Amino acid sequence: MTGCLSLLSIGPGALEQLTQQALTTLQTAEVVVGYKSYLQLIAPLLVGKEVVGSGMRQEVQRCTEACRLALSGRRTVLISSGDVGIYGMAGLAFEVLLQSGWSPESGMSVQVIPGISAVNACAALVGAPLTHDFCTISLSDLLTPWPVIEKRLLAAAQADFVTALYNPKSSKRTRQIETAQRIFLSYRLPTTPVAVVTAAFRDDARITLTDLARMTAQEITMETTVLIGNSSSFIHAGVMVTPRGYGTKYEIAAATGERK
Ligand code: SAH
């Protein structure tokens, strides 16, 4: 019997944010491998399954174990929060597999199951901040040299991308978000809208709408994504919006019968 490996996205937190494909795959899985806190988020779906949990920073070990289980013939799922291919485990899993000599012809199938990433989950909670060009940048310099991250921040700020900052801050990494703010302030107004969203779609979700000048004064943790608007983004009536650029304000006002 041949095993299979599903690299499965669980979304930001709530079970209803899983796709139908992810649910079906979990239902038929024999073994589920993942970071303990993420396994906790999908605990009701793990009843009766073999579960292999591990701690933070044990990504390589998790991937190796999942690949070993799948290669031994088990229907194996390796989970990641958000989307498994966005700062997730999919890349590492393929590296481990390819190094072990796996190829699509070798009998074991590998599938990537996409999901809702923090960027679109957080965007949905604050309105429509991503309706124009945007990029994501991780501020974690554990695996990426800081000068590379700084170069990308500069380019994004300069090019007026709406920018989602992943891994903005941890108890030990506090300097990066301050530098990011400084870089953006050299290209955008201090009043540029910013959304600080923590634990989106989890029980303790927190949402703050603020601006570029004040964003570092907000509580920012490892569970936070920071969305920095572009030069046209605005906050009004409790929602953050980046206009798509359809027509002018006059045309929209006329269509809605509004007077401005
Ligand atoms: N694969 C994940 C990202 C993993 S990197 C995804 O696609 O979402 C971890 C970072 O993602 C966190 O530091 C935080 O910036 C962001 N993140 C993950 N889940 C989040 C959530 N529920 N709310 C806000 N940000 C989240």
Side-chain angles (χ1 to χ4, degrees), residues 12-13 38 80-84 86-88 116-119 122 165-168 197-202 221-225:
Y38 298 155
S80 248
S81 76
D83 183 282
V84 68
I86 299 181
Y87 309 118
I116 298 174
S117 187
V119 67
C122 296
L165 300 177
Y166 279 67
N167 298 299
V197 184
T198 302
F201 292 97
R202 296 181 190 166
T221 73
M222 278 294 282
E223 282 184 291
T224 305
T225 298

